[in-house]
Amino acid sequence: MSPMTPARVTGTPGRTRVLVAGGGITGVAAAHRLRERLGPDAEIIIAEQSMRLGGKIRTADFAGRPVETGAESLLAARPEAVRLAEAVGLGDAIVHPAALKPALSLGGELVDFPAGHMMGIPGDPADVAAIANAKERPDNGLPILEAGQDMSVGALVRSRLGDEVLDRLVSPMLAGVYAGDVDRLSVRAVMPQLAAALERHARLTEAVAEIKRPATGKPVFATIDGGLDRLVTATSAAARAEIRLGMTVRELRQTPPDGWEVITGPVPDPIRVRADAVVVAVPASPAAELLRAVAPEAAAALSGVAYASVALAAFAFDGIELPERSGFLTPASEGKTVKAATFASKKWPHLGRRRQIVRVSMGRLGEEALLQYDDATLAKTALRELGEHLGQRLPEPVEQRIDRWGGALPQYAPGHVARVAAARVALARHRGVAIAGAAVDGVGIAACIASGQAAADDIAQQLAPK
Ligand SMILES: Cc1cc2nc3c(=O)[nH]c(=O)nc-3n(C[C@H](O)[C@H](O)[C@H](O)COP(=O)(O)OP(=O)(O)OC[C@H]3O[C@@H](n4cnc5c(N)ncnc54)[C@H](O)[C@@H]3O)c2cc1C
């Protein structure tokens, strides 16, 4: 055993110690909230398997600019991400996208993505008439969903508004977020507000019209000038957590009367860390592994979450003009590898317009083979198709890069919300353990922050002296 790795890390007697497994945005947000709740003396450890914090948030220096290679924007319409950025001293760095609209790439042309929809579902069929023939099925006067009932987005939209709305509008929107199959995505998990409204409405368009936010003039999205990595770094610094990189959490054991032993480190040379509580903020498959012996029901719920993979190409160009749009989405029926593109330098004014930067995403659920191609082949395909979508022959980019995100985007199947609730009930039988993150509570960064914070609140409450 190396003299640098004590076999057992027992902590300081009398000080509360919490271990957070996973150093993505969920884990660092949980650590930050734990510090707020447990005070300066608590020992908070973030155990992260890779050699960096951030998980699916990773900013790279690209063509002289900080460009996101994973997630690029925060939802500002809900409060958690913006509030966290402000709390960790990044309030002045919050920037918003330019007021540009995305397009749909249809039949080799970029056309306006219609307004007045929720994830592509119109509040009024007339709003989308230019793109899709929305035939609303006559209703039977009964609410579309009963309390707690769930169905797939595909089944919902196809049965109520027809194939075109689903294929041309809803699927491309959802593919941009989940890279998934709409027939396997749960309405209740991916559109919780809509699911709640469907319990009150017999018509899908009426449910959408009820919840569509009135335009407040406030921006819906934001990012951090200098890169989202800064949010991760500033949050972990403010948490004053002990960061252990390259530390894979392999097993959780309960120790009587009510503590935990966390097994990490290499198999032949394990390190055992004693902790009062554990936050599990890793993707579904490692989370299921960690919880298998502790709460098999919770492990079973997590192990059923499938993941989709995506590849991103980024290009920097000199001397080209991009359309005045934020980017485009492509319906799968167009038969292209490229499913979406962001004109990053148009969308994000803080990146500057000296160089045009485009991010192209490829891959939908079931297209994992795509990720096997080498970088040069992926870049060539992305560049050729980008030119086709833009209707111009593109020059050689001044810089390009490929990023692969294998098994990165969880797919919430119908029933997901109920399964996660049941998993939490099973976990609640054990003191001092909580699950959080994209595997359970939503893929968006703001949802992950909210999830990490809720797990930290839960743990703090459980550890509070009675
Ligand atoms: C290409 C792409 C683009 C995206 N774009 C956006 C966007 O624009 N806006 C948005 O809001 N969201 C976006 N998302 C989604 C969002 O980035 C993620 O859902 C979110 O960052 C997940 O955070 P997390 O902390 O829950 O999980 P992760 O980021 O997956 O972090 C989990 C961490 O756990 C670590 N880990 C795994 N196993 C172990 C173990 N056994 N022990 C210790 N550590 C372990 C991993 O190394 C990882 O660092 C995007 C995602 C991808 C892939």
Side-chain angles (χ1 to χ4, degrees):
M1 187 182 309
S2 129
M4 300 304 288
T5 52
R8 177 163 284 150
V9 184
T10 45
T12 315
R15 287 174 75 181
T16 301
R17 161 182 282 203
V18 182
L19 183 135
V20 178
I25 189 68
T26 304
V28 296
H32 180 256
R33 178 58 66 85
L34 283 165
R35 174 64 65 208
E36 288 178 339
R37 293 289 306 260
L38 300 177
D41 288 340
E43 290 183 60
I44 299 165
I45 301 173
I46 299 178
E48 164 55 47
Q49 168 179 280
S50 72
M51 294 312 291
R52 50 172 277 280
L53 293 179
K56 273 85 192 184
I57 294 177
R58 191 176 68 207
T59 312
D61 179 12
F62 178 72
R65 307 299 306 151
V67 170
E68 303 300 345
T69 68
E72 61 141 20
S73 61
L74 307 168
L75 194 56
R78 54 183 286 178
E80 299 87 353
V82 168
R83 272 194 205 144
L84 179 65
E86 287 165 352
V88 299
L90 291 175
D92 291 344
I94 297 172
V95 288
H96 299 286
L100 294 173
K101 297 212 167 67
L104 260 183
S105 181
L106 279 181
E109 260 187 79
L110 296 187
V111 297
D112 287 343
F113 201 97
H117 64 91
M118 198 213 153
M119 280 308 223
I121 310 175
D124 178 347
D127 290 343
V128 300
I131 305 284
N133 185 6
K135 285 182 251 140
E136 187 145 37
R137 195 181 82 176
D139 63 274
N140 58 5
L142 295 174
I144 296 175
L145 287 184
E146 288 173 19
Q149 192 194 349
D150 200 1
M151 68 196 299
S152 76
V153 176
L156 171 73
V157 177
R158 192 178 288 111
S159 66
R160 301 280 161 171
L161 290 169
D163 287 345
E164 281 196 6
V165 174
L166 183 68
D167 296 341
R168 296 186 158 198
L169 297 163
V170 181
S171 296
M173 278 301 267
L174 284 172
V177 184
Y178 294 94
D181 171 356
V182 283
D183 288 312
R184 288 198 256 162
L185 281 177
S186 145
V187 174
R188 219 167 262 284
V190 308
M191 302 180 196
Q193 250 193 318
L194 179 65
L198 292 175
E199 293 177 16
R200 296 187 290 275
H201 290 279
R203 280 180 171 247
L204 178 54
T205 50
E206 283 174 11
V208 171
E210 181 199 299
I211 55 173
K212 246 184 347 159
R213 278 191 201 91
T216 57
K218 277 201 189 153
V220 176
F221 293 103
T223 197
I224 302 292
D225 193 356
L228 284 171
D229 263 357
R230 292 184 67 199
L231 178 62
V232 175
T233 311
T235 305
S236 71
R240 280 174 289 115
E242 188 183 321
I243 313 285
R244 300 284 192 99
L245 298 177
M247 185 183 256
T248 304
V249 177
R250 290 192 282 105
E251 199 181 327
L252 301 181
R253 287 185 197 154
Q254 273 192 296
T255 52
D258 47 19
W260 292 86
E261 188 173 69
V262 181
I263 316 291
T264 75
V267 175
D269 197 8
I271 304 170
R272 300 167 201 278
V273 182
R274 285 286 173 89
D276 299 289
V278 183
V279 175
V280 177
V282 299
S285 156
E289 209 49 58
L290 291 178
L291 295 171
R292 189 145 288 136
V294 177
E297 312 90 315
L302 284 160
S303 64
V305 180
Y307 276 75
S309 303
V310 287
L312 291 176
F315 300 108
F317 299 102
D318 278 343
I320 67 158
E321 262 315 305
L322 290 171
E324 286 300 313
R325 298 181 183 276
S326 58
F328 62 81
L329 301 167
T330 323
S333 53
E334 296 288 299
K336 304 274 192 194
T337 303
V338 166
K339 62 175 189 176
T342 305
F343 304 150
S345 45
K346 292 270 181 206
K347 179 173 176 183
W348 300 108
H350 70 282
L351 291 178
R353 291 197 168 194
R354 194 172 55 83
R355 264 207 169 134
Q356 301 288 12
I357 295 172
V358 182
R359 272 176 27 129
V360 169
S361 71
M362 295 167 276
R364 299 177 177 86
L365 189 68
E367 294 178 354
E368 282 71 23
L370 185 77
L371 267 64
Q372 306 304 320
Y373 289 109
D374 60 32
D375 283 9
T377 309
L378 277 180
K380 215 169 136 192
T381 306
L383 195 61
R384 178 177 40 76
E385 286 197 7
L386 182 63
E388 287 165 11
H389 288 290
L390 292 174
Q392 57 175 297
R393 209 187 140 73
L394 293 167
E396 264 309 290
V398 286
E399 206 168 318
Q400 67 183 39
R401 64 176 287 148
I402 296 286
D403 292 280
R404 292 175 171 77
W405 293 96
L409 291 161
Q411 307 291 303
Y412 307 128
H416 175 83
V417 174
R419 284 190 293 276
V420 168
R424 288 202 159 110
V425 169
L427 277 184
R429 289 187 214 120
H430 309 273
R431 181 178 182 265
V433 61
I435 46 171
V440 283
D441 290 327
V443 295
I445 292 170
C448 289
I449 291 170
S451 172
Q453 292 173 337
D457 285 338
D458 182 17
I459 292 292
Q461 200 181 347
Q462 291 184 42
L463 296 182
K466 295 273 177 324

